[in-house]
PDB file of all heavy atoms in Angstrom:
ATOM      1  N   ARG N   8      -6.542  11.111   4.577  1.00  0.00           N
ATOM      2  CA  ARG N   8      -7.601  10.426   5.383  1.00  0.00           C
ATOM      3  C   ARG N   8      -7.931   9.039   4.829  1.00  0.00           C
ATOM      4  O   ARG N   8      -8.093   8.096   5.578  1.00  0.00           O
ATOM      5  CB  ARG N   8      -8.869  11.309   5.366  1.00  0.00           C
ATOM      6  CG  ARG N   8      -9.978  10.705   6.214  1.00  0.00           C
ATOM      7  CD  ARG N   8     -11.202  11.580   6.200  1.00  0.00           C
ATOM      8  NE  ARG N   8     -10.882  12.958   6.435  1.00  0.00           N
ATOM      9  CZ  ARG N   8     -11.759  13.934   6.353  1.00  0.00           C
ATOM     10  NH1 ARG N   8     -12.987  13.712   6.051  1.00  0.00           N
ATOM     11  NH2 ARG N   8     -11.384  15.167   6.582  1.00  0.00           N
ATOM     12  N   ASP N   9      -8.045   8.927   3.517  1.00  0.00           N
ATOM     13  CA  ASP N   9      -8.343   7.613   2.903  1.00  0.00           C
ATOM     14  C   ASP N   9      -7.211   6.614   3.179  1.00  0.00           C
ATOM     15  O   ASP N   9      -7.467   5.415   3.393  1.00  0.00           O
ATOM     16  CB  ASP N   9      -8.581   7.717   1.396  1.00  0.00           C
ATOM     17  CG  ASP N   9      -9.892   8.416   1.060  1.00  0.00           C
ATOM     18  OD1 ASP N   9     -10.841   8.349   1.872  1.00  0.00           O
ATOM     19  OD2 ASP N   9      -9.970   8.976  -0.028  1.00  0.00           O
ATOM     20  N   CYS N  10      -5.975   7.092   3.173  1.00  0.00           N
ATOM     21  CA  CYS N  10      -4.839   6.216   3.460  1.00  0.00           C
ATOM     22  C   CYS N  10      -4.919   5.709   4.894  1.00  0.00           C
ATOM     23  O   CYS N  10      -4.725   4.512   5.180  1.00  0.00           O
ATOM     24  CB  CYS N  10      -3.517   6.958   3.266  1.00  0.00           C
ATOM     25  SG  CYS N  10      -3.238   7.513   1.578  1.00  0.00           S
ATOM     26  N   ARG N  11      -5.212   6.609   5.838  1.00  0.00           N
ATOM     27  CA  ARG N  11      -5.312   6.187   7.241  1.00  0.00           C
ATOM     28  C   ARG N  11      -6.456   5.219   7.413  1.00  0.00           C
ATOM     29  O   ARG N  11      -6.340   4.202   8.170  1.00  0.00           O
ATOM     30  CB  ARG N  11      -5.522   7.428   8.121  1.00  0.00           C
ATOM     31  CG  ARG N  11      -4.270   8.328   8.233  1.00  0.00           C
ATOM     32  CD  ARG N  11      -4.408   9.368   9.328  1.00  0.00           C
ATOM     33  NE  ARG N  11      -5.639  10.107   9.313  1.00  0.00           N
ATOM     34  CZ  ARG N  11      -5.837  11.266   8.689  1.00  0.00           C
ATOM     35  NH1 ARG N  11      -4.852  11.817   7.993  1.00  0.00           N
ATOM     36  NH2 ARG N  11      -7.011  11.889   8.772  1.00  0.00           N
ATOM     37  N   ARG N  12      -7.572   5.405   6.731  1.00  0.00           N
ATOM     38  CA  ARG N  12      -8.713   4.512   6.832  1.00  0.00           C
ATOM     39  C   ARG N  12      -8.381   3.120   6.314  1.00  0.00           C
ATOM     40  O   ARG N  12      -8.652   2.121   6.942  1.00  0.00           O
ATOM     41  CB  ARG N  12      -9.931   5.086   6.080  1.00  0.00           C
ATOM     42  CG  ARG N  12     -11.150   4.188   6.064  1.00  0.00           C
ATOM     43  CD  ARG N  12     -12.274   4.766   5.233  1.00  0.00           C
ATOM     44  NE  ARG N  12     -11.886   5.307   3.923  1.00  0.00           N
ATOM     45  CZ  ARG N  12     -11.580   4.563   2.857  1.00  0.00           C
ATOM     46  NH1 ARG N  12     -11.590   3.246   2.917  1.00  0.00           N
ATOM     47  NH2 ARG N  12     -11.234   5.176   1.727  1.00  0.00           N
ATOM     48  N   THR N  13      -7.763   3.059   5.139  1.00  0.00           N
ATOM     49  CA  THR N  13      -7.417   1.776   4.543  1.00  0.00           C
ATOM     50  C   THR N  13      -6.359   1.061   5.368  1.00  0.00           C
ATOM     51  O   THR N  13      -6.433  -0.157   5.569  1.00  0.00           O
ATOM     52  CB  THR N  13      -6.927   1.974   3.094  1.00  0.00           C
ATOM     53  OG1 THR N  13      -7.970   2.614   2.332  1.00  0.00           O
ATOM     54  CG2 THR N  13      -6.584   0.655   2.438  1.00  0.00           C
ATOM     55  N   LYS N  14      -5.384   1.808   5.867  1.00  0.00           N
ATOM     56  CA  LYS N  14      -4.358   1.201   6.696  1.00  0.00           C
ATOM     57  C   LYS N  14      -4.989   0.626   7.982  1.00  0.00           C
ATOM     58  O   LYS N  14      -4.661  -0.482   8.377  1.00  0.00           O
ATOM     59  CB  LYS N  14      -3.300   2.263   7.030  1.00  0.00           C
ATOM     60  CG  LYS N  14      -2.038   1.724   7.653  1.00  0.00           C
ATOM     61  CD  LYS N  14      -1.009   2.861   7.745  1.00  0.00           C
ATOM     62  CE  LYS N  14       0.313   2.389   8.204  1.00  0.00           C
ATOM     63  NZ  LYS N  14       0.395   2.173   9.618  1.00  0.00           N
ATOM     64  N   ALA N  15      -5.924   1.362   8.578  1.00  0.00           N
ATOM     65  CA  ALA N  15      -6.606   0.881   9.770  1.00  0.00           C
ATOM     66  C   ALA N  15      -7.389  -0.394   9.475  1.00  0.00           C
ATOM     67  O   ALA N  15      -7.394  -1.335  10.279  1.00  0.00           O
ATOM     68  CB  ALA N  15      -7.513   1.951  10.343  1.00  0.00           C
ATOM     69  N   GLN N  16      -8.032  -0.436   8.319  1.00  0.00           N
ATOM     70  CA  GLN N  16      -8.788  -1.606   7.928  1.00  0.00           C
ATOM     71  C   GLN N  16      -7.839  -2.828   7.820  1.00  0.00           C
ATOM     72  O   GLN N  16      -8.160  -3.908   8.357  1.00  0.00           O
ATOM     73  CB  GLN N  16      -9.508  -1.387   6.604  1.00  0.00           C
ATOM     74  CG  GLN N  16     -10.288  -2.601   6.113  1.00  0.00           C
ATOM     75  CD  GLN N  16     -10.877  -2.418   4.744  1.00  0.00           C
ATOM     76  OE1 GLN N  16     -10.440  -1.578   3.968  1.00  0.00           O
ATOM     77  NE2 GLN N  16     -11.895  -3.200   4.415  1.00  0.00           N
ATOM     78  N   LEU N  17      -6.742  -2.681   7.168  1.00  0.00           N
ATOM     79  CA  LEU N  17      -5.790  -3.788   7.008  1.00  0.00           C
ATOM     80  C   LEU N  17      -5.227  -4.224   8.354  1.00  0.00           C
ATOM     81  O   LEU N  17      -5.084  -5.422   8.626  1.00  0.00           O
ATOM     82  CB  LEU N  17      -4.679  -3.408   6.029  1.00  0.00           C
ATOM     83  CG  LEU N  17      -5.108  -3.184   4.585  1.00  0.00           C
ATOM     84  CD1 LEU N  17      -3.956  -2.638   3.756  1.00  0.00           C
ATOM     85  CD2 LEU N  17      -5.700  -4.420   3.965  1.00  0.00           C
ATOM     86  N   ASP N  18      -4.940  -3.220   9.220  1.00  0.00           N
ATOM     87  CA  ASP N  18      -4.466  -3.527  10.558  1.00  0.00           C
ATOM     88  C   ASP N  18      -5.506  -4.345  11.346  1.00  0.00           C
ATOM     89  O   ASP N  18      -5.177  -5.293  12.009  1.00  0.00           O
ATOM     90  CB  ASP N  18      -4.096  -2.278  11.310  1.00  0.00           C
ATOM     91  CG  ASP N  18      -2.821  -1.602  10.778  1.00  0.00           C
ATOM     92  OD1 ASP N  18      -2.052  -2.276  10.082  1.00  0.00           O
ATOM     93  OD2 ASP N  18      -2.665  -0.410  11.068  1.00  0.00           O
ATOM     94  N   GLU N  19      -6.765  -3.892  11.269  1.00  0.00           N
ATOM     95  CA  GLU N  19      -7.845  -4.587  11.996  1.00  0.00           C
ATOM     96  C   GLU N  19      -8.043  -6.016  11.507  1.00  0.00           C
ATOM     97  O   GLU N  19      -8.355  -6.924  12.304  1.00  0.00           O
ATOM     98  CB  GLU N  19      -9.140  -3.801  11.874  1.00  0.00           C
ATOM     99  CG  GLU N  19      -9.195  -2.536  12.659  1.00  0.00           C
ATOM    100  CD  GLU N  19     -10.409  -1.647  12.348  1.00  0.00           C
ATOM    101  OE1 GLU N  19     -11.367  -2.138  11.719  1.00  0.00           O
ATOM    102  OE2 GLU N  19     -10.367  -0.471  12.756  1.00  0.00           O
TER     103      GLU N  19
END
Side-chain angles (χ1 to χ4, degrees):
R8 183 181 312 174
D9 289 333
C10 297
R11 291 192 311 268
R12 177 183 45 76
T13 301
K14 192 171 186 282
Q16 179 186 20
L17 295 173
D18 288 342
E19 288 171 14

